[in-house]
Amino acid sequence: MLALSLGGFATGCTTPAASTDAPLHGAVDEGTEVCTPKKTGQTLSLGAEVLHNYSNGVVVVDSVVLDDAHGLHLVKALLVPVKDNLFGVGSYPPSRYSLNQPGVQWDRRRPAVGATLTPQGPGVNETAGAEQSAAPQSTQLTTVPSGSTTPASSPTEHDLLLAIRVTGETPDAHLDGVTVKYHAGKKKYVWRNLTHLTVETVKAACPAV
């Protein structure tokens, strides 16, 4: 069972449907709202998505970009092998608490751009596609919604972990998703997550839950 290990105050999880005509099951067709407090100059992590190769061939990641980002700068994009927990939204580098979660293989992290993904089969949450989207924020582990189908022992997945530096201030620190371009053989594809992330640099600016 995959869970989200997150640092913040909002809760809730969305697993949008994804098309199945591409190795990573295409683009997300809806997103969610995430708010996290950070100061200008700090770096946060966003790691609530897995890139799962549903195809029978090798996938190569060509680029990772933030969509419509204002006051946020992508510092690095990593693929981190995980088994039971995703990083979610928190600090960067990740906290010791996050790194010590079962199945997290931080020492095997690698740059996302240029990374190859070998075939992985149907996945742990086939009804939601590769995207296990949108980031509840909580200091506790949050399980994937009850509609998910998961085996008794989760396979290793590739958590797409983004290090994002806050360069702006409220209300101008936000982004509207993440786009990953990749190819399999000679065919090129686009994977997109539509999570809207707002970073509040003003104390207690995020909505109370």
Side-chain angles (χ1 to χ4, degrees):
M1 177 181 293
L2 284 171
L4 298 173
S5 174
L6 307 170
F9 303 99
T11 59
C13 187
T14 301
T15 52
S19 64
T20 58
D21 58 352
L24 301 184
H25 275 195
V28 175
D29 60 8
E30 63 178 282
T32 193
E33 300 285 332
V34 179
C35 180
T36 187
K38 281 290 178 184
K39 294 180 180 179
T40 302
Q42 291 184 325
T43 301
L44 63 91
S45 64
L46 177 61
E49 301 288 342
V50 297
L51 296 185
H52 186 102
N53 182 4
Y54 291 83
S55 74
N56 295 321
V58 174
V59 163
V60 181
V61 178
D62 297 316
S63 66
V64 179
V65 297
L66 305 180
D67 294 336
D68 196 24
H70 299 270
L72 299 174
H73 172 71
L74 181 62
V75 177
K76 63 177 63 177
L78 302 173
L79 290 180
V80 183
V82 297
K83 192 167 184 179
D84 298 302
N85 301 284
L86 304 179
F87 283 95
V89 178
S91 60
Y92 189 89
S95 66
R96 182 175 298 180
Y97 172 83
S98 296
L99 296 179
N100 287 340
Q101 295 306 306
V104 173
Q105 301 175 53
W106 182 246
D107 59 342
R108 293 182 57 199
R109 67 192 184 279
R110 53 182 170 147
V113 177
T116 57
L117 301 177
T118 55
Q120 295 175 269
V124 299
N125 190 357
E126 190 170 10
T127 60
E131 301 78 13
Q132 303 198 26
S133 195
Q137 297 179 62
S138 170
T139 55
Q140 302 298 319
L141 293 180
T142 304
T143 58
V144 170
S146 58
S148 304
T149 57
T150 58
S153 178
S154 299
T156 298
E157 293 287 356
H158 305 289
D159 192 353
L160 177 62
L161 182 66
L162 308 179
I164 302 171
R165 181 173 296 120
V166 182
T167 58
E169 298 180 348
T170 302
D172 296 321
H174 59 87
L175 62 85
D176 287 332
V178 178
T179 294
V180 175
K181 293 184 179 181
Y182 65 99
H183 69 273
K186 295 182 179 180
K187 292 186 177 181
K188 296 182 179 181
Y189 301 90
V190 175
W191 176 97
R192 182 173 291 113
N193 166 262
L194 302 181
T195 297
H196 180 87
L197 172 67
T198 299
V199 178
E200 298 292 4
T201 60
V202 177
K203 186 176 181 180
C206 286
V209 294

